[in-house]
């Protein structure tokens, strides 16, 4: 059998940056991927080697100017919705390249499976490769394109959707439209889910069946297909016990909490990744969750019933000015014990039952199934509230509307909202904001709901710059990394 050409020649997409050595090998030196074992090994690399957490979080309304002294230019650029030029850890470039490297691995696995005759015994690997390819493209289009809107998706610039390994050194790529990317993602999800299995030694580190359902729910939520969201979340039930237990989480020793949050034994965690990242080192970020502003998101005033939020019960302080829920566990792999040098990897939960449940509740609201929405949202918020009393802490339209009154032109997705839906959607978005603080999901709600964000830069406590991300602001789509645009990938308009 001929050597499989794995390079994809992602030199255009990856910008000649260093990625997996396997992907950068010249054809004659590449390993032959010609056995089920080698295909399975290759699929371990079909997940992003970088994370978007720090980028997306800094662009959101979860962060403020703490005025601490720092040299992290990437954090400043993200806060100001300006293009990052850095190519190092936790940069826009690293996530772009890491995602396309993962896509390369998925495509190579699919190609190898096809060359082996598509045996049924390799269906699990085929399903995983298709879901991984879909997920990586979905995250790229979610960051580097305008929000999904069916009325403009056929003309909005998306990202290149790569489905085949490459056989030439310098392939030229064009950006697919957002509609084309979403169509390809949906196709890969549907096809991949036919073959998925849970039969892995470590299923939480692979696209297992439940992780695929959670991904499908997120995808169809963005598309506004509420029936599909409910279909893929039905197995959770109305009051699931396999969501995160914050009472138990808060009882864990402080140093253990980040490990506890992301470990595979947590029932809520459906897909876990360990990308190369120092996102846990929030003390290095000037623009972060400020201690004097955190109550706006996590305090009692932000609780539906005015009680303490369990999510804020144990909070991590840096220099007395920056706070963060201790949920990102960094594993530092030493390469030289004498010099104490090595590589940092941060545990990231890519999908969870918590997100799946909130997505389900949002779909119930959009289907006007309000009795069920009240039951399920009340239950979810109750699991996050200290002193919650199911008998007295009720949830109904009056209570939700009083806490989250409708503000004209605030939440403006591509579809219409009734006043009742608008107030519930805001309540759900705020619940999602709390639950996934530090994990970047808030940015995607800001994009799809077209929320206005104000970022103030301070000097001695006074505002010296008032930067506003208006509705439909072009900066909502990240600019294509320089090394990719220099090699022919069309830039986003500015």
């Amino acid at each position: 059998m001929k050597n499989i050409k794995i390079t994809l020649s992602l030199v255009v997409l990856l910008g000649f940056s260093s990625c997996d050595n396997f992907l950068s090998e010249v054809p004659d030196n590449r390993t032959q991927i010609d056995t089920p074992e080698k295909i399975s090994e290759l699929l371990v690399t079909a997940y992003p080697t970088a994370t978007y957490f720090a980028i997306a979080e800094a662009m959101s309304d979860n962060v403020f100017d703490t005025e601490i002294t720092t040299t992290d230019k990437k954090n400043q650029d993200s806060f100001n919705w300006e293009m990052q030029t850095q190519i190092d850890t936790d940069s826009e470039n690293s996530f772009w390249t890491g995602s396309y490297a993962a896509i390369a691995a998925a495509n190579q696995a699919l190609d190898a499976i096809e060359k082996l005759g598509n045996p049924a015994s390799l269906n699990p690997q085929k399903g995983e490769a298709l879901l991984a390819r879909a997920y990586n493209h979905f995250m790229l289009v979610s960051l580097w394109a305008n929000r999904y809107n069916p009325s403009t998706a056929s003309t909005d610039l998306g990202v290149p959707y790569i489905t085949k390994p490459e056989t030439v050194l310098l392939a030229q790529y064009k950006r697919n439209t957002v509609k084309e990317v979403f169509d390809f993602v949906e196709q890969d999800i549907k096809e991949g889910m036919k073959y998925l299995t849970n039969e892995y030694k470590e299923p939480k580190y692979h696209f297992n069946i439940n992780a695929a359902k959670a991904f499908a729910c997120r995808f169809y939520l963005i598309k506004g297909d509420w029936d599909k969201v409910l279909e893929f979340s039905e197995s959770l039930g109305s009051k699931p016990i396999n969501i995160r237990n914050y009472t138990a989480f808060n009882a864990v020793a402080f140093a253990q909490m980040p490990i506890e949050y992301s470990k595979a034994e947590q029932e809520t965690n459906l897909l876990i990744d360990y990308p190369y990242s120092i996102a846990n080192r929030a003390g290095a970020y000037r623009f972060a969750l400020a201690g004097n502003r955190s109550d706006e998101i996590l305090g009692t005033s932000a609780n539906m019933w005015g009680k303490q939020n369990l999510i804020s019960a144990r909070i991590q302080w840096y220099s007395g000015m920056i706070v963060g829920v201790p949920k990102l566990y960094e594993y530092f792999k030493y390469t030289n014990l004498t010099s104490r040098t090595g590589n940092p990897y941060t545990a990231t939960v890519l999908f969870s039952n918590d997100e799946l449940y909130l997505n389900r509740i949002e779909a119930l609201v959009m289907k006007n199934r309000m009795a069920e929405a009240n039951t399920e949202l009340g239950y979810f918020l109750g699991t996050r509230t200290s002193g919650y009393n199911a008998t007295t802490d009720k949830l109904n339209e009056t209570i939700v509307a009083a806490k989250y009154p409708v503000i004209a032109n605030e939440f403006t997705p591509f579809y219409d909202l009734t006043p009742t839906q608008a107030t519930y959607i805001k309540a759900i978005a705020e619940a999602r904001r709390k639950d996934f603080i530090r994990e970047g999901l808030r940015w995607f709600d800001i994009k799809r709901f077209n929320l206005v964000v104000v970022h103030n830069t301070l000097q001695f406590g006074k505002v010296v710059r008032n930067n506003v991300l208006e509705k439909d602001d072009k900066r909502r789509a990240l600019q294509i990394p320089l090394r990719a645009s220099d090699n022919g990938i069309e830039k986003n308009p500015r």
Side-chain angles (χ1 to χ4, degrees), residues 110-127:
L110 290 168
D111 184 73
I113 292 168
E114 184 177 346
K115 284 181 167 62
L116 290 173
N118 278 307
S121 60
L122 287 174
N123 278 349
Q125 289 92 331
K126 183 176 182 178

Side-chain angles (χ1 to χ4, degrees), residues 11-16 83 85 87 93 96 170-173 479-491:
V11 287
V12 174
L13 291 174
L14 300 182
F16 298 100
M83 181 182 180
T85 57
I87 61 172
N93 183 82
W96 173 277
L170 286 172
Q172 293 298 309
Y173 294 91
Q479 186 55 273
I480 299 298
L482 277 176
R483 291 189 172 188
S485 62
D486 286 347
N487 286 300
I489 303 298
E490 185 177 355
K491 291 183 177 180

Side-chain angles (χ1 to χ4, degrees), residues 5 31 41 48 68 94-95 101 105 152 172 205 221 258 316 325 329 331 333 341 345 389 414 483 494:
K5 295 182 173 65
T31 304
E41 289 175 8
I68 68 167
S94 69
F95 188 72
T152 62
Q172 293 298 309
Y205 296 95
L221 190 80
Q316 187 173 357
V325 180
Y329 168 63
Y331 165 67
K333 183 178 181 180
T341 57
Y345 300 90
N389 186 322
F414 69 80
R483 291 189 172 188
R494 282 291 186 261

Side-chain angles (χ1 to χ4, degrees), residues 360-379:
R360 170 182 173 78
I361 298 168
E362 186 172 327
L364 288 173
V365 169
M366 295 309 301
K367 294 290 289 185
N368 292 309
R369 292 164 58 175
M370 302 311 299
E372 294 166 89
N374 280 326
T375 297
E376 299 190 16
L377 182 58
Y379 173 75

